[in-house]
Amino acid sequence: MKTRIATYVTITILFLAGTSLLAQKFEQPVLISSAGQSADVKLVKMLAQRQGLNATTVLMAKPEDLTGFKTLVIVPGFSSKGLGAAGISQQDELERVQSLIKAANDLKIPIVLMHIGGNARRQGQSDSFNQLVADNSKFMLVVKQGDEDGFFTKIAGARNIPLTLVEKIAETAEPLGNLFK
Amino acid sequence: MIKNNLSTIIITVITATMGVIAAVSFGKMHHPEELFPSEGLTGKVMLSDYFEGIKGTNGDTEVYLFDSGVEGGTALVCGGAHPNEAASFLSAVVILENLRVTCGRVFIIPRLNNSAFTCSDPMEGFPASYEIPTKYGTRRFRLGSRVTNPLDQWPDPLVFSQYPSNQQLSGFETRNINRSYPGRADGNLTERIAYAIVQLIEKEKVNIAFDIHESSPEVPIVNVIVYHENYEEVAMGAILGLEMAGLQFSPETSPKNFHGLSHREWGDYTNAIPFLMETSNPSMGRLRGRTDVDLVLRGYCDNYKKAKETGALRIAYREDTGEPIAHRVGRHIAGVVELINSYNLYYPDMQIVIENLPDYDMIMEKGVGEFLNN
């Protein structure tokens, strides 16, 4: 009897561990978008290409752009030049991102946060975008300099979101690719 | 009689003396600092050789050429668009005084808006000059104005209508070279300088062009590489390369609807790949304290330390070390080198190979003066 219980417990633990690992796997095709219009999203596009991901980048993705995609990667970070280039206000951008996230959640498309801009994309006007995306993400991939005050670590802990911290932007490429393997 | 007017005479003499001292001091702004190009220099012309409309004006400026004699691409490095941005000018000078080119050509214009070197910004309390110790003695450099000298271009309109976009800007910006591109042949002096630069880019078939700048720590566009959207890959490649060398630069796309800037108009009106870089300079910021040479060179300011600690704004300021001139010049030169490296990967048939420039760590260790000639 004891042996049987031990076997059940072991199988259950292995199953849960496996489920947890599976929970961190995401499917392609991938839609990459920005939250705040920083050009960091262009770097993520390049990194995704180098990893051979089936990814499409739409800077100002709207809910209807989600059709056919299985994962949404959002790169948060405010850029006044980026918003100027897009010809929109910060409030317009915030509303766009909110609607995109809501649609992704409704469609059960998991969101991956990639914050690669370090402290240049923290505080000030960036954090409203960082907070919004982080709160709704299923995985966070962050360059450490952007988490010096534990901003992302705290959100990850409070919401039980897996978080990977790396030293450099270039080091995000491999964990990004691994999410889809 | 004399006794009755003694106080008047004393005040007049003191005022006249102060006036003469101020005039002599201000007159020095019209004496350009001597530059000492490296042995790689192959030619020197004037910007007016590309457009006669600025000949004989304070807007004319030296253009230095480093031609390897080996067929390749052509780069243009511009410092001193805004002469109140010390690291802009000094970075171009350090490149000028050390550069060797082994493939292709490099043009350098250290004093892009030469007229703006002849005055300082009123009401800002900037020092008129600063000195850098070198192996050969101390060298003095002028700290000029953001805009063309009003003695060369006056008056400012109430509203500046940028040509040809008709974008409306503050009247003051009519003397800002980095709001005046692509310029026009029959425009005001600043527009004519801008026009001459565009003529140079066209005539010399410049492939990649750099406009080096600085900004206040509280400005969002700082420690960045601004790129034209057609050349995104070159910028991103360089940013990754710089990060591997421990230097973080943020990418910023040139807004399509913000006109007159080099990163927009050089890309739209010429075949050059334009990049603009900014470093953080506390002496330019609104939160700065006493504005002296120490602030310009050491870049340390308690006000910015406190401002950053509040977390209310994003402040590009390093609390422990400040933003010293070696750090700022080192970043700019590393940026130029890495952008050219990235360009070479994407344009292998038009290579530009440069050598002998100090890297960031060398400049930080030895100081800018170590890399200045005499």
Side-chain angles (χ1 to χ4, degrees):
Chain A
M1 182 63 182
K2 279 183 183 175
T3 309
R4 192 176 288 176
I5 291 170
T7 306
Y8 281 139
V9 169
T10 305
I11 289 170
T12 306
I13 289 171
L14 287 173
F15 175 76
L16 289 174
T19 307
S20 171
L21 285 172
L22 283 173
Q24 293 182 29
K25 295 295 174 190
F26 297 85
E27 291 180 86
Q28 302 180 58
V30 183
L31 177 65
I32 301 172
S33 190
S34 168
Q37 295 302 310
S38 82
D40 295 352
V41 69
K42 311 284 182 63
L43 273 169
V44 171
K45 175 187 165 188
M46 178 184 271
L47 294 167
Q49 282 171 346
R50 288 182 181 180
Q51 287 296 309
L53 298 184
N54 178 9
T56 302
T57 303
V58 180
L59 296 185
M60 295 186 29
K62 296 185 174 67
E64 54 269 30
D65 294 318
L66 287 166
T67 308
F69 290 101
K70 293 187 174 174
T71 302
L72 172 62
V73 172
I74 303 184
V75 186
F78 173 84
S79 164
S80 54
K81 270 201 170 12
L83 288 176
I88 57 170
S89 69
Q90 186 181 349
Q91 186 58 33
D92 294 336
E93 174 69 350
L94 202 56
E95 287 169 10
R96 180 192 66 82
V97 177
Q98 283 167 338
S99 67
L100 181 68
I101 287 174
K102 183 179 180 308
N105 288 338
D106 290 346
L107 293 166
K108 301 203 180 330
I109 296 173
I111 297 170
V112 173
L113 172 146
M114 275 191 77
H115 188 278
I116 62 166
N119 54 25
R121 308 294 185 200
R122 278 296 322 284
Q123 299 179 323
Q125 292 136 307
S126 281
D127 272 358
S128 54
F129 293 103
N130 292 330
Q131 182 83 47
L132 175 62
V133 181
D135 283 346
N136 287 279
S137 64
K138 294 286 183 282
F139 190 90
M140 292 197 274
L141 185 48
V142 175
V143 172
K144 269 183 188 169
Q145 197 196 50
D147 192 47
E148 280 174 348
D149 57 356
F151 178 86
F152 292 106
T153 302
K154 283 175 200 160
I155 297 172
R159 293 180 168 271
N160 201 24
I161 302 167
L163 165 69
T164 296
L165 292 168
V166 296
E167 292 288 343
K168 294 177 182 295
I169 296 171
E171 292 171 11
T172 61
E174 194 177 331
L176 173 65
N178 288 341
L179 289 177
F180 299 93
K181 285 177 184 166
Chain B
M1 174 73 175
I2 291 178
K3 194 176 177 184
N4 289 344
N5 293 299
L6 189 60
S7 60
T8 306
I9 293 168
I10 290 171
I11 291 170
T12 304
V13 168
I14 290 172
T15 307
T17 305
M18 288 170 64
V20 168
I21 291 169
V24 168
S25 172
F26 204 68
K28 285 181 184 172
M29 297 292 283
H30 283 269
H31 297 182
E33 46 285 278
E34 194 175 355
L35 304 180
F36 304 92
S38 78
E39 290 177 356
L41 184 76
T42 54
K44 179 179 152 187
V45 295
M46 297 300 288
L47 188 58
S48 59
D49 291 333
Y50 296 91
F51 173 55
E52 281 220 335
I54 59 168
K55 197 165 194 169
T57 71
N58 282 331
D60 204 359
T61 190
E62 300 96 343
V63 179
Y64 298 86
L65 171 61
F66 294 75
D67 188 345
S68 67
V70 178
E71 197 173 332
T74 298
L76 169 65
V77 179
C78 299
H82 297 148
N84 60 328
E85 299 166 8
S88 160
F89 174 55
L90 271 183
S91 299
V93 172
V94 169
I95 295 172
L96 176 76
E97 301 194 358
N98 292 275
L99 183 66
R100 265 201 315 259
V101 181
T102 56
C103 181
R105 303 183 303 165
V106 176
F107 288 87
I108 302 175
I109 308 178
R111 290 178 276 243
L112 195 69
N113 187 348
N114 192 54
S115 167
F117 277 88
T118 63
C119 63
S120 53
D121 287 331
M123 310 301 289
E124 293 287 346
F126 283 137
S129 65
Y130 54 92
E131 292 182 338
I132 304 265
T134 77
K135 288 180 285 189
Y136 312 99
T138 299
R139 283 176 64 179
R140 174 185 162 275
F141 298 99
R142 293 170 295 168
L143 193 67
S145 165
R146 179 175 171 80
V147 294
T148 301
N149 192 329
L151 292 176
D152 294 326
Q153 184 183 314
W154 187 86
D156 293 344
L158 197 60
V159 176
F160 166 44
S161 185
Q162 202 275 341
Y163 176 83
S165 68
N166 286 326
Q167 180 174 270
Q168 308 282 292
L169 296 164
S170 153
F172 167 82
E173 300 285 13
T174 194
R175 288 184 283 125
N176 183 349
I177 186 95
N178 205 29
R179 299 293 181 275
S180 299
Y181 299 109
R184 53 180 156 181
D186 58 351
N188 62 41
L189 178 62
T190 313
E191 287 172 323
R192 282 182 280 138
I193 299 167
Y195 181 79
I197 292 161
V198 169
Q199 298 313 299
L200 183 156
I201 292 172
E202 293 274 66
K203 186 175 176 191
E204 300 294 351
K205 297 184 170 52
V206 170
N207 301 98
I208 182 168
F210 301 94
D211 190 12
I212 301 173
H213 286 258
E214 295 204 272
S215 22
S216 315
E218 66 271 29
V219 168
I221 313 299
V222 69
N223 289 335
V224 298
I225 293 175
V226 188
Y227 64 92
H228 190 279
E229 68 276 2
N230 292 352
Y231 309 105
E232 181 182 301
E233 295 82 1
V234 179
M236 298 306 162
I239 284 168
L240 287 176
L242 285 160
E243 199 210 26
M244 296 308 285
L247 296 171
Q248 195 200 14
F249 284 73
S250 298
E252 292 286 353
T253 319
S254 172
K256 286 180 182 171
N257 48 2
F258 190 9
H259 291 283
L261 293 102
S262 55
H263 50 74
R264 168 52 41 204
E265 313 300 357
W266 292 358
D268 283 354
Y269 284 87
T270 77
N271 292 320
I273 304 172
F275 293 106
L276 183 149
M277 293 184 289
E278 301 265 14
T279 47
S280 172
N281 180 347
S283 75
M284 295 169 61
R286 292 295 99 189
L287 306 181
R288 71 182 189 267
R290 181 179 172 184
T291 312
D292 55 12
V293 168
D294 183 67
L295 184 58
V296 172
L297 296 182
R298 197 158 68 92
Y300 189 87
C301 178
D302 276 335
N303 292 0
Y304 277 105
K305 186 172 187 290
K306 287 177 193 165
K308 183 158 188 183
E309 283 167 356
T310 67
L313 283 174
R314 188 186 81 79
I315 303 278
Y317 180 78
R318 304 181 305 164
E319 296 101 310
D320 298 332
T321 58
E323 303 286 330
I325 193 76
H327 167 70
R328 285 140 54 200
V329 169
R331 281 182 66 91
H332 278 311
I333 292 176
V336 168
V337 169
E338 203 57 51
L339 282 161
I340 288 179
N341 287 344
S342 183
Y343 158 85
N344 284 338
L345 287 175
Y346 287 95
Y347 299 89
D349 297 337
M350 298 296 280
Q351 295 263 316
I352 301 161
V353 181
I354 59 174
E355 294 179 352
N356 206 41
L357 296 183
D359 65 25
Y360 175 83
D361 290 337
M362 288 166 74
I363 297 173
M364 284 301 286
E365 183 191 337
K366 297 180 176 176
V368 173
E370 181 73 15
F371 303 99
L372 295 174
N373 298 330
N374 208 336

XYZ file of all heavy atoms in Angstrom, chain A residues 37-40 42-43 45-47 50 78-87 116-126 143 145 167-171, chain B residues 220-222 224 226-227 229 232-234 236-237 239-240 243-246 248-258 261 263 308 311-315 346:
579
model
N 6.152 52.484 -27.939
C 6.790 52.833 -29.224
C 8.285 53.082 -29.148
O 8.844 53.826 -29.957
C 6.086 54.021 -29.882
C 4.651 53.721 -30.305
C 4.559 52.560 -31.276
O 5.278 52.519 -32.278
N 3.695 51.599 -30.995
N 8.969 52.489 -28.161
C 10.431 52.580 -28.198
C 10.946 51.669 -29.309
O 10.296 50.680 -29.654
C 11.028 52.144 -26.860
O 11.132 50.743 -26.792
N 12.110 52.033 -29.841
C 12.675 51.245 -30.942
C 13.282 49.933 -30.447
O 13.800 49.156 -31.251
C 13.708 52.064 -31.706
N 13.193 49.676 -29.139
C 13.672 48.386 -28.623
C 12.977 47.230 -29.335
O 13.545 46.151 -29.486
C 13.381 48.283 -27.119
C 14.156 49.299 -26.300
O 15.035 49.974 -26.875
O 13.871 49.440 -25.108
N 12.462 46.889 -32.341
C 13.204 46.534 -33.559
C 14.349 45.567 -33.240
O 14.693 44.708 -34.037
C 13.757 47.798 -34.233
C 12.755 48.923 -34.429
C 11.827 48.639 -35.578
C 10.847 49.771 -35.815
N 11.430 51.040 -36.191
N 14.936 45.767 -32.066
C 16.004 44.845 -31.647
C 15.427 43.455 -31.383
O 16.029 42.447 -31.749
C 16.670 45.371 -30.374
C 17.823 46.356 -30.561
C 18.188 46.988 -29.226
C 19.046 45.683 -31.168
N 12.805 42.227 -32.764
C 12.511 41.672 -34.093
C 13.767 41.000 -34.675
O 13.706 39.883 -35.193
C 12.059 42.818 -35.001
C 11.824 42.448 -36.445
C 11.548 43.726 -37.237
C 11.657 43.520 -38.717
N 11.578 44.800 -39.451
N 14.904 41.702 -34.542
C 16.162 41.153 -35.069
C 16.558 39.874 -34.322
O 16.966 38.878 -34.929
C 17.267 42.211 -34.937
C 18.628 41.763 -35.410
S 19.888 43.018 -35.109
C 19.783 43.950 -36.597
N 16.397 39.892 -33.002
C 16.752 38.714 -32.202
C 15.846 37.533 -32.555
O 16.316 36.393 -32.644
C 16.630 39.043 -30.706
C 17.620 40.089 -30.180
C 17.205 40.556 -28.784
C 19.032 39.535 -30.148
N 16.980 36.071 -35.781
C 18.207 35.283 -35.610
C 17.911 33.919 -34.984
O 18.665 32.974 -35.171
C 19.215 36.042 -34.749
C 19.834 37.234 -35.477
C 20.863 37.933 -34.618
N 21.431 39.079 -35.318
C 22.366 39.874 -34.810
N 22.848 39.641 -33.608
N 22.839 40.885 -35.497
N 8.791 53.575 -23.132
C 8.284 54.830 -23.702
C 9.364 55.514 -24.538
O 10.527 55.577 -24.152
C 7.858 55.758 -22.561
C 7.476 57.142 -23.013
C 6.197 57.417 -23.474
C 8.409 58.174 -22.989
C 5.855 58.692 -23.893
C 8.073 59.454 -23.398
C 6.793 59.717 -23.855
N 8.970 56.039 -25.680
C 9.865 56.859 -26.495
C 9.068 58.015 -27.088
O 8.119 57.793 -27.851
C 10.490 56.020 -27.615
O 11.037 56.885 -28.603
N 9.466 59.234 -26.741
C 8.749 60.393 -27.301
C 8.980 60.480 -28.807
O 8.088 60.859 -29.563
C 9.191 61.681 -26.609
O 10.588 61.817 -26.677
N 10.199 60.106 -29.246
C 10.463 60.109 -30.687
C 9.614 59.059 -31.388
O 9.080 59.285 -32.469
C 11.953 59.851 -30.965
C 12.780 61.138 -31.023
C 14.061 60.898 -31.786
C 14.860 62.138 -32.130
N 14.557 63.398 -31.538
N 9.484 57.890 -30.746
C 8.674 56.825 -31.327
C 7.208 57.220 -31.431
O 6.557 56.979 -32.452
N 6.696 57.830 -30.355
C 5.297 58.279 -30.401
C 5.131 59.384 -31.434
O 4.125 59.440 -32.148
C 4.860 58.786 -29.020
C 4.657 57.718 -27.943
C 4.329 58.364 -26.610
C 3.555 56.753 -28.327
N 6.169 60.256 -31.515
C 6.125 61.319 -32.522
C 6.104 60.733 -33.925
O 5.349 61.181 -34.795
N 6.938 59.696 -34.129
C 6.989 59.049 -35.445
C 5.635 58.421 -35.780
O 5.204 58.431 -36.931
C 8.089 57.988 -35.460
N 4.980 57.880 -34.747
C 3.680 57.244 -34.972
C 2.557 58.275 -35.049
O 1.447 57.944 -35.478
C 3.394 56.247 -33.845
N 2.847 59.469 -34.603
C 1.845 60.538 -34.658
C 0.712 60.341 -33.658
O -0.434 60.688 -33.939
N 14.074 45.089 -22.691
C 15.512 45.024 -22.996
C 16.182 46.388 -22.902
O 17.386 46.506 -23.097
C 15.746 44.448 -24.416
C 15.113 45.365 -25.467
C 15.214 43.020 -24.513
C 15.587 45.058 -26.860
N 15.425 47.424 -22.594
C 15.979 48.794 -22.670
C 16.706 49.268 -21.433
O 17.154 50.415 -21.375
N 16.825 48.394 -20.402
C 17.539 48.804 -19.190
C 16.888 49.998 -18.517
O 15.687 50.234 -18.659
N 17.714 50.762 -17.791
C 17.118 51.887 -17.046
C 16.663 53.031 -17.948
O 15.947 53.924 -17.511
C 18.041 52.386 -15.933
C 19.404 52.733 -16.439
O 19.559 53.048 -17.605
N 20.412 52.674 -15.580
N 17.053 52.988 -19.220
C 16.557 54.014 -20.150
C 15.066 53.852 -20.410
O 14.405 54.797 -20.828
C 17.325 53.944 -21.472
N 14.549 52.654 -20.178
C 13.113 52.404 -20.384
C 12.442 52.062 -19.054
O 11.590 51.181 -18.992
C 12.904 51.266 -21.383
C 13.627 51.398 -22.689
C 13.142 52.570 -23.530
N 13.820 52.533 -24.826
C 13.932 53.573 -25.628
N 13.437 54.759 -25.274
N 14.555 53.465 -26.788
N 12.858 52.711 -18.014
C 12.233 52.535 -16.708
C 11.842 53.899 -16.148
O 12.343 54.922 -16.569
C 13.226 51.835 -15.750
C 13.296 50.317 -15.890
C 11.980 49.640 -15.531
N 11.322 50.270 -14.401
C 11.691 50.116 -13.124
N 12.652 49.287 -12.838
N 11.054 50.768 -12.156
N 10.991 53.842 -15.149
C 10.496 55.035 -14.461
C 9.846 56.005 -15.449
O 9.543 55.635 -16.580
C 11.624 55.693 -13.668
C 12.190 54.745 -12.594
C 13.308 55.342 -11.799
O 14.138 56.073 -12.320
N 13.342 55.025 -10.523
N 9.646 57.233 -14.978
C 9.043 58.237 -15.838
C 7.825 57.702 -16.571
O 6.974 57.029 -15.996
N 7.775 57.984 -17.856
C 6.606 57.571 -18.635
C 6.631 56.103 -19.049
O 5.646 55.588 -19.566
C 6.482 58.465 -19.877
C 6.120 59.895 -19.509
C 6.931 60.902 -20.290
O 8.161 60.843 -20.319
N 6.266 61.842 -20.927
N 7.767 55.439 -18.858
C 7.862 54.031 -19.280
C 7.113 53.086 -18.353
O 6.573 52.062 -18.791
C 9.334 53.594 -19.360
O 9.923 54.044 -20.542
N 16.267 42.343 -19.264
C 17.692 42.666 -19.077
C 17.843 43.299 -17.687
O 17.109 44.225 -17.329
C 18.197 43.626 -20.177
C 19.610 44.108 -19.874
C 18.155 42.922 -21.529
N 19.493 45.336 -15.988
C 19.591 46.750 -15.643
C 18.213 47.390 -15.481
O 18.056 48.365 -14.748
C 20.392 47.505 -16.722
C 20.878 48.852 -16.245
C 21.318 49.730 -17.389
O 20.609 49.902 -18.379
N 22.502 50.286 -17.263
N 21.986 39.450 -18.435
C 22.866 40.618 -18.287
C 22.768 41.559 -19.479
O 22.790 42.774 -19.325
C 24.328 40.160 -18.138
C 24.629 39.425 -16.848
C 24.626 40.333 -15.627
O 24.708 41.559 -15.797
O 24.511 39.800 -14.503
N 22.714 40.999 -20.677
C 22.803 41.816 -21.891
C 21.655 41.510 -22.859
O 21.080 40.428 -22.812
C 24.130 41.550 -22.603
C 25.351 42.000 -21.822
C 26.617 41.632 -22.580
C 27.867 42.016 -21.793
N 28.030 43.448 -21.605
N 21.425 42.467 -23.739
C 20.357 42.285 -24.739
C 20.629 41.031 -25.580
O 19.727 40.229 -25.820
C 20.260 43.511 -25.663
C 19.861 44.752 -24.861
C 19.234 43.276 -26.772
C 19.945 46.056 -25.651
N 21.889 40.885 -25.994
C 22.228 39.752 -26.860
C 21.907 38.422 -26.171
O 21.613 37.427 -26.834
C 23.699 39.811 -27.257
N 21.960 38.421 -24.835
C 21.710 37.178 -24.085
C 20.219 36.840 -23.996
O 19.863 35.806 -23.440
C 22.309 37.291 -22.674
C 23.819 37.333 -22.692
C 24.402 37.673 -21.312
O 23.654 37.661 -20.312
O 25.608 37.955 -21.257
N 14.384 62.949 -22.602
C 14.226 61.512 -22.882
C 15.190 60.988 -23.952
O 15.525 59.821 -23.972
C 12.781 61.406 -23.376
C 12.106 62.645 -22.934
C 13.149 63.703 -22.860
N 15.613 61.882 -24.844
C 16.466 61.424 -25.951
C 17.921 61.626 -25.564
O 18.578 62.576 -25.996
C 16.152 62.206 -27.238
C 14.653 62.284 -27.474
C 16.843 61.592 -28.457
C 13.972 60.960 -27.653
N 18.437 60.740 -24.735
C 19.829 60.867 -24.306
C 20.441 59.473 -24.232
O 19.728 58.493 -24.002
C 19.914 61.644 -22.977
C 19.347 60.855 -21.831
C 21.307 62.110 -22.681
N 21.541 57.882 -26.771
C 20.808 57.197 -27.840
C 21.576 57.238 -29.169
O 22.493 58.035 -29.353
C 19.436 57.872 -28.099
C 18.564 57.805 -26.865
C 19.592 59.303 -28.574
N 20.041 57.838 -32.839
C 18.827 58.098 -33.620
C 19.135 57.710 -35.065
O 20.156 58.133 -35.622
C 18.413 59.579 -33.549
C 17.039 59.758 -34.213
C 18.360 60.072 -32.110
N 18.252 56.914 -35.642
C 18.500 56.396 -36.989
C 17.306 56.652 -37.890
O 16.176 56.787 -37.431
C 18.828 54.892 -36.930
C 17.691 54.050 -36.426
C 16.776 53.496 -37.315
C 17.509 53.824 -35.075
C 15.705 52.740 -36.859
C 16.450 53.080 -34.613
C 15.556 52.535 -35.512
O 14.493 51.790 -35.056
N 14.642 55.374 -40.589
C 13.957 54.073 -40.628
C 14.437 53.153 -41.758
O 14.294 51.935 -41.676
C 12.430 54.263 -40.734
C 11.916 54.841 -42.043
C 11.976 56.363 -42.077
O 12.455 56.959 -41.101
O 11.564 56.956 -43.097
N 17.559 50.666 -40.365
C 17.354 50.110 -39.026
C 18.393 49.036 -38.679
O 18.939 49.015 -37.575
C 15.955 49.510 -39.023
C 15.496 48.889 -37.771
C 14.086 48.318 -38.003
O 13.187 49.102 -38.353
O 13.918 47.104 -37.847
N 18.692 48.166 -39.649
C 19.565 47.030 -39.351
C 20.956 47.487 -38.943
O 21.595 46.894 -38.068
C 19.686 46.088 -40.568
C 18.390 45.402 -40.966
C 17.489 46.272 -41.826
O 17.881 47.418 -42.134
O 16.390 45.812 -42.180
N 21.448 48.539 -39.611
C 22.800 49.030 -39.286
C 22.812 49.529 -37.838
O 23.741 49.233 -37.067
C 23.218 50.164 -40.249
C 24.604 50.686 -39.890
C 23.201 49.681 -41.691
N 20.754 48.709 -35.333
C 20.555 47.632 -34.357
C 21.818 46.774 -34.207
O 22.170 46.360 -33.101
C 19.376 46.741 -34.770
C 18.052 47.467 -34.830
S 17.676 48.309 -33.293
C 16.432 49.460 -33.823
N 22.481 46.527 -35.322
C 23.735 45.765 -35.265
C 24.759 46.482 -34.400
O 25.460 45.875 -33.582
N 24.155 48.708 -32.016
C 23.729 48.760 -30.607
C 24.064 47.446 -29.896
O 24.537 47.449 -28.755
C 22.230 49.108 -30.528
C 22.075 50.616 -30.800
C 21.633 48.744 -29.179
C 20.676 51.088 -31.033
N 23.862 46.328 -30.591
C 24.238 45.043 -29.991
C 25.749 44.958 -29.812
O 26.238 44.472 -28.790
C 23.737 43.885 -30.858
C 22.226 43.635 -30.818
C 21.844 42.520 -31.790
C 21.757 43.292 -29.417
N 26.766 47.072 -26.914
C 26.385 46.468 -25.643
C 27.387 45.387 -25.244
O 27.708 45.236 -24.070
C 24.978 45.882 -25.760
C 24.368 45.674 -24.382
C 23.409 44.521 -24.332
O 23.550 43.596 -25.139
O 22.528 44.555 -23.475
N 27.873 44.644 -26.244
C 28.880 43.618 -25.941
C 30.145 44.259 -25.384
O 30.890 43.640 -24.638
C 29.214 42.805 -27.214
C 28.049 41.995 -27.763
S 27.244 40.948 -26.531
C 28.446 39.647 -26.376
N 30.372 45.519 -25.759
C 31.545 46.237 -25.241
C 31.211 46.969 -23.934
O 32.026 47.732 -23.415
C 32.032 47.235 -26.288
N 30.021 46.729 -23.420
C 29.642 47.308 -22.136
C 29.040 48.696 -22.216
O 28.917 49.375 -21.199
N 25.751 50.884 -23.194
C 24.342 50.792 -23.547
C 23.883 52.042 -24.298
O 24.038 53.167 -23.811
C 23.483 50.616 -22.301
C 22.089 50.172 -22.659
C 21.087 50.453 -21.555
O 21.344 51.194 -20.629
N 19.924 49.857 -21.696
N 23.372 51.829 -25.476
C 22.756 52.901 -26.273
C 21.313 52.490 -26.545
O 21.055 51.339 -26.865
C 23.458 53.069 -27.626
C 24.787 53.779 -27.568
C 25.912 53.150 -27.054
C 24.927 55.070 -28.042
C 27.136 53.794 -27.007
C 26.139 55.731 -28.001
C 27.249 55.096 -27.477
N 20.409 53.437 -26.458
C 19.022 53.128 -26.809
C 18.777 53.501 -28.270
O 19.209 54.574 -28.699
C 18.055 53.933 -25.938
O 18.237 53.587 -24.594
N 18.094 52.632 -28.997
C 17.753 53.002 -30.374
C 16.557 53.943 -30.402
O 15.621 53.762 -29.626
C 17.403 51.658 -31.007
C 16.916 50.813 -29.870
C 17.616 51.297 -28.631
N 16.586 54.928 -31.255
C 15.447 55.829 -31.434
C 15.241 56.057 -32.933
O 16.177 56.433 -33.638
C 15.686 57.184 -30.764
C 15.737 57.130 -29.253
C 14.374 56.930 -28.587
O 13.350 56.959 -29.295
O 14.349 56.734 -27.356
N 14.036 55.826 -33.387
C 13.727 56.061 -34.802
C 13.519 57.553 -35.040
O 12.879 58.224 -34.233
C 12.418 55.347 -35.194
O 12.403 54.078 -34.584
C 12.298 55.207 -36.692
N 14.014 58.041 -36.139
C 13.778 59.442 -36.506
C 12.304 59.641 -36.829
O 11.760 58.952 -37.702
C 14.627 59.785 -37.737
O 14.281 61.061 -38.201
N 11.632 60.557 -36.128
C 10.220 60.784 -36.452
C 10.072 61.343 -37.872
O 10.785 62.270 -38.251
C 9.768 61.825 -35.425
C 10.804 61.812 -34.361
C 12.079 61.418 -35.020
N 9.126 60.779 -38.614
C 8.945 61.224 -40.007
C 8.363 62.619 -40.089
O 8.503 63.302 -41.096
C 8.012 60.251 -40.740
C 8.661 58.929 -41.069
C 7.676 58.026 -41.798
C 8.326 56.684 -42.092
N 7.394 55.704 -42.598
N 7.685 63.014 -39.017
C 6.990 64.306 -39.080
C 7.688 65.403 -38.280
O 7.092 66.411 -37.957
C 5.549 64.145 -38.589
C 5.483 63.390 -37.272
O 6.513 63.024 -36.728
N 4.286 63.144 -36.774
N 8.949 65.204 -37.917
C 9.714 66.234 -37.224
C 10.849 66.638 -38.168
O 11.792 65.887 -38.354
C 10.242 65.693 -35.895
C 10.831 66.759 -35.000
C 10.713 68.111 -35.292
C 11.496 66.398 -33.841
C 11.248 69.072 -34.461
C 12.039 67.356 -32.993
C 11.903 68.700 -33.312
N 15.884 68.072 -39.075
C 16.975 67.420 -38.339
C 17.819 66.555 -39.274
O 17.313 65.989 -40.245
C 16.411 66.573 -37.200
C 15.746 67.395 -36.097
C 14.243 67.357 -36.208
C 16.178 66.928 -34.710
N 19.113 63.556 -38.915
C 18.748 62.143 -39.069
C 17.500 61.958 -39.923
O 17.242 60.871 -40.408
C 18.574 61.466 -37.703
C 17.699 62.205 -36.738
N 16.346 62.253 -36.846
C 18.010 62.938 -35.638
C 15.839 62.962 -35.841
N 16.842 63.411 -35.093
N 17.651 62.209 -9.542
C 17.557 60.795 -9.925
C 17.043 59.966 -8.762
O 16.241 59.047 -8.941
C 18.910 60.286 -10.391
C 18.829 58.840 -10.863
C 19.919 58.449 -11.779
C 19.642 57.058 -12.341
N 20.713 56.586 -13.183
N 13.348 59.472 -8.279
C 12.662 58.522 -9.157
C 11.487 59.128 -9.906
O 10.755 58.431 -10.585
N 11.284 60.440 -9.763
C 10.126 61.079 -10.398
C 10.276 61.154 -11.911
O 9.295 61.117 -12.642
C 9.927 62.476 -9.829
N 11.510 61.297 -12.349
C 11.785 61.398 -13.780
C 12.838 60.376 -14.150
O 13.616 59.938 -13.302
C 12.376 62.777 -14.120
C 11.441 63.973 -14.192
C 12.275 65.217 -14.386
C 10.491 63.803 -15.358
N 12.879 60.050 -15.430
C 14.019 59.258 -15.886
C 15.168 60.224 -16.098
O 15.080 61.130 -16.923
C 13.716 58.529 -17.193
C 14.807 57.557 -17.575
C 14.562 56.961 -18.934
N 14.984 57.838 -19.999
C 16.240 57.996 -20.387
N 17.211 57.352 -19.778
N 16.536 58.801 -21.387
N 16.221 60.055 -15.328
C 17.370 60.950 -15.423
C 18.561 60.121 -15.879
O 18.932 59.154 -15.213
C 17.699 61.583 -14.049
C 16.488 62.327 -13.476
C 18.920 62.476 -14.146
C 16.266 63.696 -13.995
N 26.792 45.268 -43.713
C 25.645 45.362 -44.625
C 26.030 45.883 -46.011
O 25.287 45.707 -46.963
C 24.555 46.246 -44.010
C 23.838 45.565 -42.875
C 24.233 45.765 -41.562
C 22.785 44.679 -43.125
C 23.594 45.111 -40.514
C 22.139 44.026 -42.089
C 22.546 44.243 -40.786
O 21.915 43.594 -39.768
